[in-house]
Amino acid sequence: MTIATINPTNGELVKSFDPMSDAQVDAAIGRADAAFHELHGTSFAQRAGWMVAAADLLDAERDEVARMMTTEMGKTYASAKAEVTKCAAACRFYAERAEAFLADEPADAKAVGATRAFVRHQPLGPVLAVMPWNFPLWQVIRFAAPALMAGNVGLLKHASNVPQTALFLEELFRRAGFPEGAFQALLVGSEAVERILGDRRVRAATLTGSEGAGRAIARTAGEQLKKTVLELGGSDPFVVMPSADIARAAEVATTARCQNNGQSCIAAKRFIVHTDVYDAFAEAFVERMAALRVGDPMAEQTDVGPLATERGRKEVDEQVRDAVERGARVLCGGQRPDRNGWWYPPTVVTELTPEMRMWSEEVFGPVAGLYRVSSYEEAIEVANGTEYGLGSNAWTRDPAEQERFANDLDAGSVFVNGMTTSFPDLPFGGVRNSGYGRELSAYGIREFCNVKTVWVGEGTEAGAGAGAHAE
Ligand code: NAP
């Protein structure tokens, strides 16, 4: 894949970059290794100062950074600005909390025959971060802020269509004061990942991306016995039950499906509606979806811009056509416009059946699948009926039903009466084919740490105390 910025509104090449050679990559890994030893020796306070400086730079340069993201991948300028602000907040969150999240955890020394026993969290070293283009700043920051605060260093292999955002991120941490080499962008294609992960100086990897990329990285990392965190795709259910506020549910459903031009891993993708409220929900939802304004992502009034890539638009178009050819019904949208750029309109498709691709695959564009169910049990069966398990959404005002959804939805998160989103304070990640490991909160920062057991005895008795035995 070429490494280039291609404007998705018209398909024109804006800027291309030569991929780094193996020798340049090796030199970067060498700098990362050296930076790790330097960063490891710094205090939390020192790193927090640099992280807050990064947040200040993001706030100060918000509009410019947002414009760059909109140009590279087509998200609306308004949502790009919100993304920059969210990133600055996440940097501050980890600057403030990292030390407490990674503080020594005392254990019951007496129970293990020690005078002192505790758990210490220590960084692992250079971590490879393979990242997607959809939230080109946020996906990277939610890895980088905790990683750098823990004392790890980052090697970013960003998606090939957002090279300018990748280079901005490298510069951001350097300008904020982090040591040279603490966070570097490797301008390489996906074919270079296996070799990088094979380098013994690279200690772990995190990927946010598709299932296919997840399998490839997990395979290589498995051979190398390196830790991975995988944030993969999703086909989140959005279940609407009879007690729900239907107008509110339809409003949130529209945003949940079309945010980021429909290209969010945790976008609601399958709308599973109880038959008692199906007609009312469908009418309100279709009306709202059809009213969204598609157009120039820089324009203030635009709700939905183009898809990020030609390949992505082709995939969405083929998924909808496949459903229609097999008997599904389009309630709005569904036609690829005949104009330059990677446009696709907000679309609602119903009467889906298991043999259609849309039933089981993730649709990465503003296309909603609408399903009618006649009971709670059937809603759960359809909701859990894909191989994914990232986020999930349930709409009900019945407290007992809320509790059941919290238990029964097989996903990394359950949001009741609100849109699935991410917060620095809460863990984020999936189960099944949506990946493993967690980002954000205390869970996220500990993923790339050695959870080290420290046992200290008096040194006057043989062995490790009463009851000890060798493994
Ligand atoms: P993608 O093709 O998997 O690309 C993501 C990153 O992985 C890019 O840097 C890409 O590099 C690299 N990559 C692709 N194939 C690879 C391979 N075989 N080995 C190593 N690296 C590889 O994903 P996408 O289609 O651009 O992004 C959308 C997907 O990401 C969706 O499935 C979405 O749900 C998922 N996603 C998940 C989350 C989450 O948090 N769970 C968040 C956002 C997106 P190149 O660009 O050079 O190909």
Side-chain angles (χ1 to χ4, degrees):
M1 199 167 168
T2 51
I3 299 173
T5 301
I6 295 173
N7 187 338
T9 65
N10 54 24
E12 284 172 12
L13 177 71
V14 177
K15 198 168 178 182
S16 62
F17 295 80
D18 289 332
M20 287 167 76
S21 66
D22 286 352
Q24 286 173 312
V25 168
D26 291 346
I29 296 174
R31 284 193 294 277
D33 197 36
F36 173 58
H37 295 291
E38 192 181 341
L39 198 65
H40 195 14
T42 58
S43 65
F44 279 104
Q46 173 74 81
R47 299 196 291 275
W50 293 329
M51 194 54 72
V52 169
D56 291 344
L57 284 167
L58 286 170
D59 280 337
E61 297 169 13
R62 182 195 69 167
D63 294 0
E64 203 181 314
V65 179
R67 209 171 296 116
M68 174 177 68
M69 288 197 282
T70 298
T71 305
E72 291 209 295
M73 52 66 68
K75 67 168 62 218
T76 62
Y77 183 48
S79 66
K81 284 189 283 190
E83 182 172 337
V84 181
T85 301
K86 182 172 180 172
C87 288
C91 289
R92 292 197 176 92
F93 175 86
Y94 278 108
E96 279 166 23
R97 310 286 182 89
E99 188 166 8
F101 287 157
L102 299 182
D104 287 350
E105 280 176 17
D108 182 349
K110 223 166 135 197
V112 295
T115 52
R116 217 153 54 90
F118 58 91
V119 174
R120 176 160 292 169
H121 301 92
Q122 290 185 308
L124 294 182
V127 181
L128 173 67
V130 181
M131 291 288 152
W133 44 263
N134 65 338
F135 292 92
L137 204 67
W138 169 246
Q139 305 291 13
V140 178
I141 291 288
R142 77 179 182 183
F143 153 72
L148 290 168
M149 282 308 302
N152 287 305
V153 304
L155 288 162
L156 169 66
K157 182 265 173 280
H158 216 328
S160 294
N161 57 328
V162 289
Q164 297 191 57
T165 309
L167 293 172
F168 166 80
L169 280 155
E170 174 177 302
E171 279 295 290
L172 173 73
F173 290 114
R174 197 188 53 72
R175 287 190 291 151
F178 280 94
E180 189 72 30
F183 193 86
Q184 299 174 84
L186 304 176
L187 291 188
V188 291
S190 58
E191 66 288 346
V193 167
E194 189 175 346
R195 186 173 171 277
I196 297 167
L197 203 43
D199 190 299
R200 61 170 183 76
R201 294 167 294 184
V202 176
R203 299 310 315 151
T206 182
L207 162 80
T208 299
S210 61
E211 214 183 311
R215 287 182 198 282
I217 285 177
R219 207 176 296 124
T220 307
E223 264 170 27
Q224 302 287 337
L225 297 178
K226 289 179 183 174
K227 168 83 187 266
T228 50
V229 167
L230 300 180
E231 297 286 359
L232 309 179
S235 189
D236 286 8
F238 184 108
V239 182
V240 185
M241 296 301 284
S243 68
D245 176 339
I246 299 302
R248 177 77 186 133
E251 183 188 348
V252 173
T254 308
T255 309
R257 178 57 284 205
C258 294
Q259 59 166 329
N260 213 39
N261 308 341
Q263 304 159 122
S264 168
C265 53
I266 48 166
K269 290 167 187 148
R270 297 175 300 130
F271 297 81
I272 300 158
V273 186
H274 194 280
T275 189
D276 290 356
V277 288
Y278 181 91
D279 291 341
F281 177 84
E283 189 184 339
F285 182 43
V286 171
E287 192 180 310
R288 283 183 173 278
M289 288 284 281
L292 291 174
R293 287 156 302 192
V294 179
D296 176 6
M298 284 303 297
E300 216 172 289
Q301 69 275 14
T302 295
D303 298 308
V304 180
L307 299 193
T309 65
E310 183 174 22
R311 183 173 63 107
R313 199 267 300 263
K314 181 167 177 276
E315 184 84 352
V316 169
D317 189 35
E318 285 174 1
Q319 286 168 314
V320 173
R321 280 166 189 252
D322 165 78
V324 172
E325 278 161 19
R326 293 170 195 269
R329 204 153 56 85
V330 172
L331 301 181
C332 69
Q335 289 294 328
R336 185 180 123 160
D338 185 19
R339 60 187 277 206
N340 287 339
W342 324 130
W343 305 92
Y344 201 86
T347 296
V348 181
V349 182
T350 188
E351 292 171 31
L352 292 155
T353 52
E355 64 276 8
M356 298 171 187
R357 290 180 58 188
M358 274 188 69
W359 184 277
S360 51
E361 293 179 10
E362 175 182 34
V363 184
F364 220 53
V367 177
L370 189 57
Y371 302 75
R372 185 195 290 267
V373 292
S374 50
S375 64
Y376 173 86
E377 288 71 21
E378 195 189 349
I380 289 294
E381 194 185 322
V382 176
N384 292 342
T386 73
E387 296 298 321
Y388 293 111
L390 192 54
S392 64
N393 232 266
W395 288 76
T396 170
R397 285 185 281 195
D398 174 345
E401 213 168 55
Q402 292 174 354
E403 190 57 24
R404 288 180 83 188
F405 276 116
N407 281 326
D408 297 342
L409 285 168
D410 196 5
S413 66
V414 177
F415 280 65
V416 179
N417 298 333
M419 195 172 93
T420 304
T421 185
S422 60
F423 300 98
D425 321 61
L426 291 173
F428 183 95
V431 293
R432 297 188 285 150
N433 291 7
S434 292
Y436 51 75
R438 290 293 178 266
E439 293 195 288
L440 301 174
S441 77
Y443 290 94
I445 197 169
R446 290 177 185 162
E447 287 283 4
F448 294 115
C449 285
N450 173 13
V451 180
K452 186 185 269 181
T453 292
V454 181
W455 185 99
V456 182
E458 278 184 18
T460 54
E461 289 172 36
H469 62 276
E471 291 293 310

